Amino acid sequence: MQKDKKLIFYDIALLILSLYIALLLRLDFKIPREYMEFFYLSFLPVIIITLFFNKIFHLYDSIWKYASIEELISIIYSVSLSNVIFILYSYFISYKILETRYFRFPFTVHIIFWLLSIVSLGGTRFIVRLLEEMNINKSCEEKKKKLIIIGAGDASALLIKEIKKSDYLNYDIVGLIDDDSSKQGKHISGVKVIGERNDIVRICAENKVEEIILAMPSTEIETKRKIINICKNTSAKLKTLPGIYEIIDGKVNVNKIRDVNIEDLLGREEVRLNNKDIDKYIKDKVILVTGGGGSIGSELCRQIAKFNPNKLLIMDIYENNAYDLQMELNYNYPSLDKEVLIASIRDEEKIKSIFEEYKPDVVFHAAAHKHVPLMESNPGEAIKNNVIGTYNIAKFSHVYGVKKFVQISTDKAVNPTNIMGATKRFCEIIIQAFDTISNTEYVAVRFGNVLGSNGSVIPLFKKQIAHGGPVTVTHPEINRYFMTIPEAAQLVIQAGSMANGGEIFVLDMGEPVKIVDLAKDLIKLSGYQPGLDIKIEYTGLRPGEKLYEELLIDEVALTSTEHDKIFVEKPTGNNIEFVEKSIEEFKEVIYKSKEEIFKLMEEKVPTYKRKKNN
């Protein structure tokens, strides 16, 4: 408001000055007395008229640091209309009040005054904008980070333009990196290609580079991984443009830069789906996803939505996640028929009513307790949810004629040393037993740790790094198999299409990764040095935790499938009588002591060897 008042005073002064200069210019700098008298009669009405029209055209409401051609046009309109009224005023005063045509300004004075008013009023406003931009540029200059961009292609060209025009991407671009020898020394939008990947460490050190942006969205994952590994040897923070698949899916805009994730470093070639096979059992079918609000369940729902099911049922006990997913699907798939069901898989009567009402064709069972230490402290809850809950879903899938039942399993089910893994192994026994008596095709899908899922190690490490450390690792030798959330969901969906019944599907997950190496990489990717900026502390293995995870119970039973990344462990002999008798025993023991629960589980899952001390 204070600035608006100042602008009004400036306008008053400039209008008086413009009118006076117009008289000087028109009358060769010799103004007769009668014209000066008319000037004194005129400047106050001119000010009132012009300020009135300035207000009409919002010249005191605009934010002038963003002034553009529209504001200039508003000034022209205001000044033009003001001058028209001023001319009429001149003739009125001359003929009606003074009764002489000589006491008024020559017409050319009005033209000069009109031009001077536009220049002066417009000039002050655009000077305001210029000063604001100079202040912004000055402040940005102080904050600019030294940057190199890897890749000298279309993505880099878009990125450079975005950086140059943005007020928020405050970078000083040192240069471009590209392995193409024909591009060396060339320029893109004024930025020079200054080296190849082997020069990255040297260039970063010489120029004190603070950030590196990987602008190679179409490059193969293996090539990206090698370049990122080189970048880890610098002190710069790594960022990347989104991958092509992310852009196509509409998850991000091409101009959005994100931090390099650990997934970029560990990722394998994306699992490719056989859409034709998937169409056959999802399109136009009623699909139920239990645990639909969780990390895997929600991604399953996103993937399933692409295949046009007749109805998607999202079941979860936790309403907040389910609601968020519902809103997301409403936006991305507005025509998808979906329903969120808030229910617990433990509630047998509720589950029965859901199957009776909706009669799903396919069930993806992702609901489970999965946190190893928490379940070790609460074994009764692990059995209630994972074992009895799975039994409820499997039983009613059989009773109501579900065509396919896909169980989400884990590598922790293989030779388990904790109650969570043992319950998941018993879940595999449940679905294999039901498969022997039912027309429903029951299968399980087993994979390792999922990067970025709720409660996984990566979000924990990121929080610890954000707080300045330390990053906690249980043991220097502990390792795990890893996969991304989309990979996990795609494997589950693909497995459903390949199922004949009773199989356990396993993903080729490559080599296991040491958790401490994961921690070090994440620290480096965040722009810090492990051990110097961020400490790593070893806390000791937790109850039930293994140093090494396995994916197979019996490697001899492993056979390949038509999908080069998916293998299958053939059904083993499990009977429904054993399962039903065990369920009754579990229902009795869950309210007893932990030792009794552990003991019963060891009886039911022979491969379960509890680790009592760590």
Side-chain angles (χ1 to χ4, degrees):
M1 193 67 183
Q2 195 67 28
K3 286 185 178 179
D4 291 346
K5 287 181 179 178
K6 283 185 179 180
L7 205 53
I8 290 171
F9 288 126
Y10 290 150
D11 285 352
I12 291 170
L14 288 169
L15 287 168
I16 295 170
L17 187 61
S18 296
L19 185 56
Y20 184 71
I21 292 173
L23 281 169
L24 287 173
L25 292 174
R26 170 63 180 82
L27 302 169
D28 298 325
F29 295 90
K30 294 177 183 178
I31 306 175
R33 183 179 55 81
E34 58 268 25
Y35 284 114
M36 280 305 299
E37 289 178 2
F38 196 74
F39 170 78
Y40 295 135
L41 284 172
S42 301
F43 74 78
L44 186 58
V46 165
I47 289 168
I48 293 170
I49 293 165
T50 307
L51 293 181
F52 171 77
F53 281 109
N54 283 358
K55 190 67 178 175
I56 293 294
F57 287 99
H58 305 291
L59 297 187
Y60 302 115
D61 303 329
S62 299
I63 301 175
W64 287 97
K65 76 172 183 177
Y66 303 119
S68 63
I69 191 68
E70 285 81 6
E71 281 75 22
L72 180 59
I73 290 171
S74 294
I75 290 169
I76 293 171
Y77 283 155
S78 177
V79 171
S80 298
L81 287 170
S82 299
N83 269 274
V84 169
I85 301 299
F86 179 34
I87 291 168
L88 295 175
Y89 164 82
S90 298
Y91 279 87
F92 177 80
I93 292 294
S94 297
Y95 288 104
K96 298 295 183 182
I97 305 300
L98 301 177
E99 297 181 349
T100 173
R101 63 189 180 87
Y102 298 108
F103 282 86
R104 60 181 175 80
F105 295 139
F107 189 72
T108 47
V109 170
H110 294 285
I111 295 173
I112 297 170
F113 174 58
W114 176 77
L115 288 170
L116 290 174
S117 298
I118 291 172
V119 171
S120 59
L121 269 63
T124 54
R125 284 156 173 80
F126 282 89
I127 286 170
V128 170
R129 172 177 173 170
L130 183 61
L131 291 173
E132 291 281 358
E133 286 188 352
M134 287 173 66
N135 288 332
I136 290 170
N137 291 335
K138 186 176 179 182
S139 62
C140 290
E141 195 71 38
E142 295 168 359
K143 299 175 185 176
K144 278 188 176 179
K145 297 177 182 177
K146 292 288 186 73
L147 168 74
I148 62 169
I149 299 172
I150 300 177
D154 293 341
S156 295
L158 286 171
L159 178 59
I160 292 166
K161 288 178 183 177
E162 184 70 13
I163 289 172
K164 287 186 174 182
K165 74 179 182 181
S166 174
D167 291 338
Y168 304 102
L169 299 174
N170 297 323
Y171 292 114
D172 175 15
I173 306 174
V174 173
L176 297 163
I177 301 293
D178 201 288
D179 286 340
D180 188 343
S181 58
S182 66
K183 294 181 179 179
Q184 298 301 313
K186 302 291 178 63
H187 291 76
I188 295 179
S189 298
V191 179
K192 188 177 180 180
V193 180
I194 57 175
E196 56 183 29
R197 73 172 75 173
N198 294 328
D199 301 315
I200 290 173
V201 176
R202 174 184 59 80
I203 290 169
C204 286
E206 290 176 355
N207 295 277
K208 297 182 179 178
V209 171
E210 297 171 80
E211 288 194 13
I212 299 170
I213 296 180
L214 191 64
M216 305 166 65
S218 302
T219 303
E220 292 179 356
I221 291 175
E222 185 59 33
T223 301
K224 280 187 183 178
R225 188 157 51 235
K226 288 177 180 176
I227 293 172
I228 292 172
N229 277 321
I230 292 172
C231 295
K232 286 193 305 182
N233 296 317
T234 72
S235 60
K237 185 174 182 180
L238 266 66
K239 293 188 174 182
T240 185
L241 281 178
I244 287 297
Y245 75 93
E246 292 176 283
I247 297 168
I248 291 171
D249 281 353
K251 294 179 182 176
V252 290
N253 184 283
V254 71
N255 290 326
K256 288 203 176 171
I257 305 164
R258 64 166 171 81
D259 289 348
V260 169
N261 293 324
I262 206 73
E263 291 93 327
D264 297 311
L265 198 58
L266 297 173
R268 60 189 57 75
E269 291 299 325
E270 188 180 3
V271 175
R272 290 178 176 81
L273 298 179
N274 186 331
N275 290 354
K276 184 178 179 182
D277 289 344
I278 293 170
D279 261 351
K280 290 178 183 176
Y281 85 102
I282 289 183
K283 187 176 182 181
D284 298 326
K285 301 294 194 299
V286 178
I287 312 295
L288 169 64
V289 180
T290 71
S295 304
I296 300 297
S298 61
E299 185 62 25
L300 277 171
C301 292
R302 293 182 191 100
Q303 301 278 352
I304 290 165
K306 299 175 184 177
F307 292 95
N308 300 312
N310 180 47
K311 191 178 190 70
L312 176 60
L313 303 171
I314 304 164
M315 190 174 96
D316 206 296
I317 188 60
Y318 183 50
E319 74 275 17
N320 290 351
N321 284 349
Y323 174 79
D324 290 342
L325 178 64
Q326 183 184 40
M327 293 301 101
E328 178 188 333
L329 293 176
N330 284 346
Y331 181 79
N332 291 326
Y333 302 95
S335 60
L336 175 67
D337 186 2
K338 61 193 147 319
E339 190 157 347
V340 173
L341 308 170
I342 302 303
S344 170
I345 59 175
R346 302 175 180 188
D347 188 339
E348 186 176 358
E349 288 303 312
K350 178 65 175 178
I351 298 303
K352 179 182 178 182
S353 69
I354 287 172
F355 275 81
E356 190 169 328
E357 179 177 356
Y358 296 101
K359 296 182 174 56
D361 298 296
V362 181
V363 173
F364 290 96
H365 180 43
H369 286 327
K370 64 179 183 178
H371 297 287
V372 171
L374 283 178
M375 293 305 100
E376 209 65 14
S377 301
N378 300 274
E381 295 304 304
I383 289 173
K384 258 198 269 186
N385 202 63
N386 294 3
V387 175
I388 298 172
T390 296
Y391 176 78
N392 290 338
I393 299 293
K395 179 177 72 173
F396 290 117
S397 292
H398 164 61
V399 171
Y400 287 94
V402 168
K403 293 180 177 62
K404 287 183 185 287
F405 180 104
V406 184
Q407 162 75 29
I408 311 299
S409 193
T410 168
D411 56 357
K412 292 175 179 61
V414 182
N415 300 320
T417 58
N418 54 69
I419 194 71
M420 194 284 284
T423 60
K424 295 300 280 186
R425 174 57 192 146
F426 196 84
C427 289
E428 294 178 351
I429 293 171
I430 290 172
I431 67 107
Q432 288 183 322
F434 268 105
D435 191 71
T436 62
I437 64 160
S438 179
N439 291 325
T440 301
E441 294 174 347
Y442 291 85
V443 296
V445 183
R446 188 188 293 156
F447 43 76
N449 292 269
V450 179
L451 288 168
S453 63
N454 295 330
S456 70
V457 71
I458 299 300
L460 173 62
F461 284 170
K462 285 182 176 179
K463 286 180 182 177
Q464 291 174 335
I465 292 168
H467 287 99
V471 171
T472 56
V473 179
T474 57
H475 193 282
E477 295 301 318
I478 193 169
N479 68 23
R480 291 292 181 264
Y481 292 95
F482 283 98
M483 67 190 312
T484 64
I485 292 175
E487 275 186 310
Q490 290 174 10
L491 171 65
V492 171
I493 293 172
Q494 190 73 72
S497 71
M498 299 164 65
N500 293 314
E503 306 98 330
I504 297 174
F505 289 93
V506 182
L507 177 66
D508 177 6
M509 300 185 70
E511 296 299 317
V513 178
K514 277 190 176 183
I515 301 298
V516 67
D517 292 339
L518 205 63
K520 289 177 180 177
D521 285 345
L522 201 57
I523 292 168
K524 289 177 182 177
L525 294 177
S526 301
Y528 303 106
Q529 291 299 312
L532 296 175
D533 304 316
I534 304 287
K535 302 290 184 185
I536 294 176
E537 289 185 359
Y538 297 105
T539 57
L541 290 175
R542 299 172 296 180
E545 190 171 41
K546 286 197 243 181
L547 273 180
Y548 312 100
E549 294 291 3
E550 306 156 84
L551 285 168
L552 300 171
I553 292 175
D554 181 5
E555 287 196 24
V556 178
L558 182 68
T559 58
S560 60
T561 68
E562 67 225 35
H563 197 292
D564 61 354
K565 294 290 182 181
I566 300 176
F567 297 85
V568 63
E569 191 175 280
K570 291 298 183 184
T572 55
N574 291 301
N575 63 73
I576 196 68
E577 291 79 13
F578 166 74
V579 167
E580 290 178 341
K581 182 175 182 297
S582 299
I583 292 296
E584 293 307 314
E585 293 178 61
F586 281 132
K587 286 180 179 179
E588 291 179 10
V589 81
I590 54 178
Y591 299 106
K592 296 182 180 179
S593 71
K594 291 181 184 178
E595 287 305 317
E596 289 180 88
I597 295 171
F598 291 134
K599 185 178 178 181
L600 180 61
M601 184 58 77
E602 285 177 330
E603 292 176 13
K604 301 302 178 182
V605 180
T607 56
Y608 171 42
K609 305 296 178 188
R610 184 186 171 211
K611 293 184 71 173
K612 297 181 182 179
N613 297 303
N614 295 288

mmCIF file of all heavy atoms in Angstrom, residues 383-404:
data_model
loop_
_atom_site.group_PDB
_atom_site.id
_atom_site.type_symbol
_atom_site.label_atom_id
_atom_site.label_comp_id
_atom_site.label_asym_id
_atom_site.label_seq_id
_atom_site.Cartn_x
_atom_site.Cartn_y
_atom_site.Cartn_z
ATOM 1 N N ILE A 383 0.765 -64.131 13.725
ATOM 2 C CA ILE A 383 -0.018 -65.316 13.332
ATOM 3 C C ILE A 383 -1.461 -64.928 13.018
ATOM 4 O O ILE A 383 -2.041 -65.385 12.033
ATOM 5 C CB ILE A 383 0.039 -66.383 14.452
ATOM 6 C CG1 ILE A 383 1.452 -66.980 14.499
ATOM 7 C CG2 ILE A 383 -1.006 -67.480 14.208
ATOM 8 C CD1 ILE A 383 1.683 -67.921 15.658
ATOM 9 N N LYS A 384 -2.037 -64.053 13.856
ATOM 10 C CA LYS A 384 -3.426 -63.621 13.625
ATOM 11 C C LYS A 384 -3.596 -63.019 12.234
ATOM 12 O O LYS A 384 -4.533 -63.343 11.508
ATOM 13 C CB LYS A 384 -3.831 -62.571 14.673
ATOM 14 C CG LYS A 384 -4.703 -63.116 15.783
ATOM 15 C CD LYS A 384 -5.408 -61.987 16.507
ATOM 16 C CE LYS A 384 -4.578 -61.512 17.671
ATOM 17 N NZ LYS A 384 -5.313 -60.495 18.482
ATOM 18 N N ASN A 385 -2.691 -62.144 11.877
ATOM 19 C CA ASN A 385 -2.832 -61.416 10.612
ATOM 20 C C ASN A 385 -2.325 -62.238 9.428
ATOM 21 O O ASN A 385 -3.049 -62.463 8.457
ATOM 22 C CB ASN A 385 -2.068 -60.094 10.694
ATOM 23 C CG ASN A 385 -2.578 -59.069 9.701
ATOM 24 O OD1 ASN A 385 -3.732 -58.657 9.778
ATOM 25 N ND2 ASN A 385 -1.734 -58.669 8.775
ATOM 26 N N ASN A 386 -1.090 -62.694 9.527
ATOM 27 C CA ASN A 386 -0.471 -63.334 8.372
ATOM 28 C C ASN A 386 -1.011 -64.731 8.106
ATOM 29 O O ASN A 386 -1.274 -65.091 6.957
ATOM 30 C CB ASN A 386 1.052 -63.404 8.560
ATOM 31 C CG ASN A 386 1.702 -62.033 8.567
ATOM 32 O OD1 ASN A 386 1.011 -61.022 8.488
ATOM 33 N ND2 ASN A 386 3.013 -61.990 8.673
ATOM 34 N N VAL A 387 -1.174 -65.530 9.159
ATOM 35 C CA VAL A 387 -1.599 -66.925 8.969
ATOM 36 C C VAL A 387 -3.123 -67.037 8.913
ATOM 37 O O VAL A 387 -3.692 -67.491 7.910
ATOM 38 C CB VAL A 387 -1.031 -67.827 10.088
ATOM 39 C CG1 VAL A 387 -1.584 -69.247 9.961
ATOM 40 C CG2 VAL A 387 0.493 -67.848 10.013
ATOM 41 N N ILE A 388 -3.789 -66.596 9.981
ATOM 42 C CA ILE A 388 -5.248 -66.761 10.029
ATOM 43 C C ILE A 388 -5.923 -65.860 8.997
ATOM 44 O O ILE A 388 -6.889 -66.269 8.336
ATOM 45 C CB ILE A 388 -5.771 -66.481 11.457
ATOM 46 C CG1 ILE A 388 -5.156 -67.490 12.435
ATOM 47 C CG2 ILE A 388 -7.293 -66.523 11.499
ATOM 48 C CD1 ILE A 388 -5.429 -67.222 13.898
ATOM 49 N N GLY A 389 -5.405 -64.639 8.832
ATOM 50 C CA GLY A 389 -5.954 -63.738 7.815
ATOM 51 C C GLY A 389 -5.820 -64.309 6.419
ATOM 52 O O GLY A 389 -6.764 -64.265 5.615
ATOM 53 N N THR A 390 -4.656 -64.876 6.101
ATOM 54 C CA THR A 390 -4.448 -65.487 4.782
ATOM 55 C C THR A 390 -5.368 -66.687 4.593
ATOM 56 O O THR A 390 -5.933 -66.892 3.511
ATOM 57 C CB THR A 390 -2.981 -65.914 4.616
ATOM 58 O OG1 THR A 390 -2.159 -64.738 4.639
ATOM 59 C CG2 THR A 390 -2.756 -66.663 3.310
ATOM 60 N N TYR A 391 -5.533 -67.470 5.648
ATOM 61 C CA TYR A 391 -6.436 -68.622 5.568
ATOM 62 C C TYR A 391 -7.856 -68.167 5.238
ATOM 63 O O TYR A 391 -8.546 -68.786 4.402
ATOM 64 C CB TYR A 391 -6.415 -69.402 6.882
ATOM 65 C CG TYR A 391 -7.385 -70.553 6.916
ATOM 66 C CD1 TYR A 391 -7.108 -71.755 6.267
ATOM 67 C CD2 TYR A 391 -8.610 -70.432 7.591
ATOM 68 C CE1 TYR A 391 -8.013 -72.807 6.283
ATOM 69 C CE2 TYR A 391 -9.517 -71.474 7.621
ATOM 70 C CZ TYR A 391 -9.218 -72.664 6.966
ATOM 71 O OH TYR A 391 -10.122 -73.701 6.981
ATOM 72 N N ASN A 392 -8.317 -67.080 5.883
ATOM 73 C CA ASN A 392 -9.661 -66.566 5.597
ATOM 74 C C ASN A 392 -9.814 -66.192 4.124
ATOM 75 O O ASN A 392 -10.808 -66.548 3.476
ATOM 76 C CB ASN A 392 -9.947 -65.332 6.464
ATOM 77 C CG ASN A 392 -10.124 -65.672 7.928
ATOM 78 O OD1 ASN A 392 -10.443 -66.808 8.288
ATOM 79 N ND2 ASN A 392 -9.899 -64.693 8.801
ATOM 80 N N ILE A 393 -8.845 -65.456 3.601
ATOM 81 C CA ILE A 393 -8.922 -65.016 2.207
ATOM 82 C C ILE A 393 -8.849 -66.210 1.266
ATOM 83 O O ILE A 393 -9.616 -66.305 0.290
ATOM 84 C CB ILE A 393 -7.772 -64.026 1.890
ATOM 85 C CG1 ILE A 393 -7.867 -62.771 2.771
ATOM 86 C CG2 ILE A 393 -7.787 -63.634 0.412
ATOM 87 C CD1 ILE A 393 -9.051 -61.893 2.504
ATOM 88 N N ALA A 394 -7.958 -67.162 1.560
ATOM 89 C CA ALA A 394 -7.805 -68.343 0.694
ATOM 90 C C ALA A 394 -9.059 -69.213 0.728
ATOM 91 O O ALA A 394 -9.505 -69.724 -0.311
ATOM 92 C CB ALA A 394 -6.587 -69.149 1.138
ATOM 93 N N LYS A 395 -9.634 -69.376 1.934
ATOM 94 C CA LYS A 395 -10.826 -70.233 2.082
ATOM 95 C C LYS A 395 -12.003 -69.681 1.286
ATOM 96 O O LYS A 395 -12.658 -70.422 0.519
ATOM 97 C CB LYS A 395 -11.200 -70.352 3.561
ATOM 98 C CG LYS A 395 -12.434 -71.211 3.792
ATOM 99 C CD LYS A 395 -12.747 -71.388 5.262
ATOM 100 C CE LYS A 395 -13.294 -70.121 5.898
ATOM 101 N NZ LYS A 395 -13.746 -70.336 7.292
ATOM 102 N N PHE A 396 -12.265 -68.379 1.427
ATOM 103 C CA PHE A 396 -13.424 -67.824 0.733
ATOM 104 C C PHE A 396 -13.172 -67.656 -0.765
ATOM 105 O O PHE A 396 -14.120 -67.596 -1.552
ATOM 106 C CB PHE A 396 -13.863 -66.513 1.398
ATOM 107 C CG PHE A 396 -14.466 -66.733 2.760
ATOM 108 C CD1 PHE A 396 -13.867 -66.211 3.902
ATOM 109 C CD2 PHE A 396 -15.622 -67.499 2.912
ATOM 110 C CE1 PHE A 396 -14.407 -66.430 5.160
ATOM 111 C CE2 PHE A 396 -16.173 -67.724 4.165
ATOM 112 C CZ PHE A 396 -15.557 -67.194 5.303
ATOM 113 N N SER A 397 -11.923 -67.588 -1.151
ATOM 114 C CA SER A 397 -11.611 -67.615 -2.583
ATOM 115 C C SER A 397 -12.035 -68.958 -3.168
ATOM 116 O O SER A 397 -12.562 -69.030 -4.294
ATOM 117 C CB SER A 397 -10.112 -67.395 -2.808
ATOM 118 O OG SER A 397 -9.733 -66.094 -2.454
ATOM 119 N N HIS A 398 -11.805 -70.035 -2.414
ATOM 120 C CA HIS A 398 -12.231 -71.380 -2.836
ATOM 121 C C HIS A 398 -13.755 -71.497 -2.829
ATOM 122 O O HIS A 398 -14.364 -71.949 -3.807
ATOM 123 C CB HIS A 398 -11.607 -72.418 -1.906
ATOM 124 C CG HIS A 398 -12.236 -73.765 -1.989
ATOM 125 N ND1 HIS A 398 -12.256 -74.528 -3.150
ATOM 126 C CD2 HIS A 398 -12.905 -74.503 -1.031
ATOM 127 C CE1 HIS A 398 -12.893 -75.672 -2.921
ATOM 128 N NE2 HIS A 398 -13.297 -75.670 -1.650
ATOM 129 N N VAL A 399 -14.368 -71.039 -1.738
ATOM 130 C CA VAL A 399 -15.821 -71.193 -1.578
ATOM 131 C C VAL A 399 -16.585 -70.434 -2.656
ATOM 132 O O VAL A 399 -17.588 -70.932 -3.199
ATOM 133 C CB VAL A 399 -16.256 -70.704 -0.174
ATOM 134 C CG1 VAL A 399 -17.781 -70.637 -0.067
ATOM 135 C CG2 VAL A 399 -15.680 -71.607 0.908
ATOM 136 N N TYR A 400 -16.105 -69.242 -3.011
ATOM 137 C CA TYR A 400 -16.847 -68.404 -3.957
ATOM 138 C C TYR A 400 -16.269 -68.439 -5.378
ATOM 139 O O TYR A 400 -16.585 -67.600 -6.207
ATOM 140 C CB TYR A 400 -16.906 -66.966 -3.436
ATOM 141 C CG TYR A 400 -17.855 -66.840 -2.255
ATOM 142 C CD1 TYR A 400 -17.376 -66.930 -0.950
ATOM 143 C CD2 TYR A 400 -19.228 -66.698 -2.453
ATOM 144 C CE1 TYR A 400 -18.242 -66.850 0.140
ATOM 145 C CE2 TYR A 400 -20.096 -66.612 -1.380
ATOM 146 C CZ TYR A 400 -19.599 -66.693 -0.090
ATOM 147 O OH TYR A 400 -20.475 -66.620 0.985
ATOM 148 N N GLY A 401 -15.446 -69.429 -5.654
ATOM 149 C CA GLY A 401 -15.039 -69.709 -7.030
ATOM 150 C C GLY A 401 -14.137 -68.683 -7.683
ATOM 151 O O GLY A 401 -14.254 -68.419 -8.887
ATOM 152 N N VAL A 402 -13.236 -68.081 -6.899
ATOM 153 C CA VAL A 402 -12.238 -67.172 -7.491
ATOM 154 C C VAL A 402 -11.390 -67.955 -8.497
ATOM 155 O O VAL A 402 -11.030 -69.107 -8.253
ATOM 156 C CB VAL A 402 -11.343 -66.569 -6.378
ATOM 157 C CG1 VAL A 402 -10.131 -65.853 -6.968
ATOM 158 C CG2 VAL A 402 -12.156 -65.612 -5.520
ATOM 159 N N LYS A 403 -11.097 -67.329 -9.634
ATOM 160 C CA LYS A 403 -10.329 -68.035 -10.672
ATOM 161 C C LYS A 403 -8.839 -68.106 -10.325
ATOM 162 O O LYS A 403 -8.199 -69.130 -10.523
ATOM 163 C CB LYS A 403 -10.528 -67.353 -12.021
ATOM 164 C CG LYS A 403 -11.950 -67.465 -12.557
ATOM 165 C CD LYS A 403 -12.101 -66.776 -13.906
ATOM 166 C CE LYS A 403 -13.505 -66.967 -14.468
ATOM 167 N NZ LYS A 403 -14.554 -66.380 -13.599
ATOM 168 N N LYS A 404 -8.290 -67.014 -9.846
ATOM 169 C CA LYS A 404 -6.857 -66.979 -9.523
ATOM 170 C C LYS A 404 -6.644 -66.293 -8.177
ATOM 171 O O LYS A 404 -7.268 -65.273 -7.883
ATOM 172 C CB LYS A 404 -6.051 -66.235 -10.589
ATOM 173 C CG LYS A 404 -5.882 -66.986 -11.901
ATOM 174 C CD LYS A 404 -5.017 -66.205 -12.882
ATOM 175 C CE LYS A 404 -4.937 -66.890 -14.235
ATOM 176 N NZ LYS A 404 -4.085 -68.097 -14.182
#
